[in-house]
Amino acid sequence: MSDGGLWKYFTKEHHKEFVLSLNLLGETNWPVGKQLACLYAVSNHIERHYTRTIIPKRDGTTRELLSPDPLLKKIQRNLLHNVLDELPLSPHATAYRKGGSILDNAYPHQGQPLVLKMDIHDFFGSITYLMVYRSAFPRIYYPPSVATLLSNLCCYQDYLPQGAPTSAAISNLVMKPFDDYMGKWCAERNIAYTRYCDDMTFSGDFDASFVFNKARSFLLSMGFEINGKKTRVVKSGGQQSVTGIVVNKRPQVSRAYRDKLRQELYYLGKYGAASHLLKLIGSETFPTEAEQDAYLRSLLGKINFVLQVNPENQYFIQARVSLRNMMTDSMKNSLDF
């Protein structure tokens, strides 16, 4: 029986049972009617449940983040855990998967004669409502009425919003045909291929133009465009960096990154968080405790990144201990009033 033949026997009661079985609202004592009314009210007025934030990027451009309100975020997280996390991904997709790490994206490319890096322009904004409907909630598993509801809950103005809990997982599902095809095509030519979000990396001994055109043609057919400014071809004589990790020999965070982090930690230890941050941001206003805490957490994240790649680096192991102690002392002091 075809999928269309199956769903023609799907009644309104079946529809209600199907939606409720997804447990999108979590544990609640609400009656069935109120639960369904809530879900449809949110999906029909989705724009009201987002807050738009513009984030500046290092290259001078900006990134738009759309943050869902608590109700929509709860629904999306339940949808992510109860539905999307269970769907199979391509092994070549290394971001946004359980147990995965940025190292999984770098390891296949170490010690290669050539590395080609490509980037998709406006990745999340290019993923349309129809892509979400077909890839995340395919007709073979979901009746059209349910797929429509779920797609509405995941999209914003007919595209995938960057900032929603469901968007990352859906992007991997949308890209699965590309990842599977390019992975097989590359393997037949002894080329390594991985994708980390919108960053694609190919490595081996190959004609870079041939591989670039092959990938670009497939992506264009899907509705994506390549960001030409971020396309890079790096031979073994140059620094081959894959999502921030140098892979010329064994994976390593770049020396420039480590040296800059060492310098920040030195000044932090010499002047303290408040004074160092005051000089760093060039402000005349003394940084608040929240700003100091955010800065210390950002440094801790950078240290953890280095140790994730090189867990035996003794300098950063000790630096992490010292920084955690500083954060603990800072928290204690803020409670002494």
Side-chain angles (χ1 to χ4, degrees):
M1 182 182 293
S2 68
D3 52 7
L6 171 65
W7 300 125
K8 73 179 182 180
Y9 300 105
F10 201 73
T11 67
K12 290 184 178 180
E13 287 304 314
H14 291 144
H15 170 93
K16 293 178 182 179
E17 292 174 5
F18 196 117
V19 172
L20 293 174
S21 72
L22 301 177
N23 198 26
L24 299 182
L25 290 169
E27 297 299 324
T28 177
N29 294 323
W30 288 1
V32 169
K34 185 175 181 180
Q35 292 184 52
L36 293 173
C38 175
L39 292 172
Y40 278 100
V42 172
S43 69
N44 290 335
H45 304 282
I46 202 73
E47 290 86 357
R48 300 177 184 176
H49 296 272
Y50 279 101
T51 300
R52 186 191 307 269
T53 305
I54 304 299
I55 306 296
K57 297 168 65 176
R58 293 181 180 179
D59 60 4
T61 61
T62 59
R63 174 186 290 114
E64 178 187 76
L65 291 182
L66 288 162
S67 303
D69 65 15
L71 175 58
L72 178 56
K73 182 179 291 186
K74 178 181 180 179
I75 293 171
Q76 290 175 336
R77 282 178 173 169
N78 286 327
L79 181 52
L80 173 64
H81 298 315
N82 299 341
V83 178
L84 299 175
D85 277 348
E86 304 303 319
L87 299 177
L89 303 177
S90 170
H92 303 284
T94 57
Y96 316 131
R97 60 189 309 149
K98 291 181 179 180
S101 76
I102 199 170
L103 280 173
D104 298 327
N105 192 59
Y107 274 131
H109 306 291
Q110 58 183 327
Q112 297 279 20
L114 186 75
V115 170
L116 166 65
K117 299 192 294 183
M118 299 172 63
D119 181 273
I120 299 174
H121 173 70
D122 189 21
F123 180 52
F124 287 95
S126 299
I127 297 178
T128 64
Y129 175 93
L130 186 58
M131 292 180 183
V132 174
Y133 184 93
R134 290 175 173 174
S135 300
F137 312 109
R139 191 177 179 87
I140 191 172
Y141 299 123
Y142 296 89
S145 57
V146 177
T148 298
L149 169 65
L150 299 181
S151 299
N152 285 340
L153 290 170
C154 294
C155 292
Y156 174 88
Q157 294 183 349
D158 293 331
Y159 69 91
L160 197 63
Q162 188 170 4
T166 45
S167 292
I170 290 175
S171 72
N172 275 343
L173 296 171
V174 169
M175 291 297 293
K176 190 176 187 299
F178 175 85
D179 292 335
D180 287 342
Y181 176 82
M182 287 304 302
K184 183 176 183 295
W185 186 87
C186 287
E188 292 170 350
R189 293 159 178 79
N190 294 318
I191 301 171
Y193 163 67
T194 62
R195 180 183 59 82
Y196 195 91
C197 188
D198 56 352
D199 293 324
M200 297 161 290
T201 306
F202 304 85
S203 65
D205 188 3
F206 56 89
D207 182 336
S209 297
F210 182 62
V211 174
F212 174 85
N213 289 328
K214 182 71 175 180
R216 181 178 61 176
S217 296
F218 196 131
L219 290 168
L220 285 174
S221 71
M222 294 176 69
F224 293 107
E225 294 182 13
I226 294 297
N227 186 342
K229 295 180 179 180
K230 292 187 177 182
T231 299
R232 298 285 186 274
V233 179
V234 186
K235 297 182 179 180
S236 57
Q239 179 173 286
Q240 297 173 328
S241 177
V242 177
T243 48
I245 300 175
V246 179
V247 295
N248 291 70
K249 295 181 180 179
R250 65 185 181 89
Q252 175 69 280
V253 178
S254 71
R255 179 178 295 277
Y257 186 98
R258 286 176 286 141
D259 287 347
K260 183 178 180 180
L261 181 53
R262 285 174 185 264
Q263 184 181 55
E264 282 198 76
L265 292 170
Y266 169 78
Y267 286 121
L268 175 66
K270 183 175 182 180
Y271 299 112
S275 297
H276 173 52
L277 186 57
L278 191 65
K279 294 181 180 180
L280 191 66
I281 61 179
S283 173
E284 296 180 357
T285 305
F286 201 74
T288 65
E289 290 183 357
E291 290 172 332
Q292 294 177 52
D293 180 67
Y295 175 65
L296 295 178
R297 289 183 183 278
S298 71
L299 287 180
L300 182 60
K302 293 177 181 179
I303 293 174
N304 285 334
F305 171 58
V306 173
L307 291 176
Q308 183 182 21
V309 181
N310 300 114
E312 298 179 359
N313 188 305
Q314 293 301 311
Y315 173 84
F316 287 106
I317 289 175
Q318 183 56 49
R320 180 166 62 182
V321 172
S322 300
L323 183 56
R324 283 175 173 170
N325 290 337
M326 180 181 293
M327 294 171 70
T328 300
D329 292 341
S330 176
M331 183 177 297
K332 288 180 179 178
N333 292 335
S334 66
L335 296 176
D336 292 337
F337 57 87

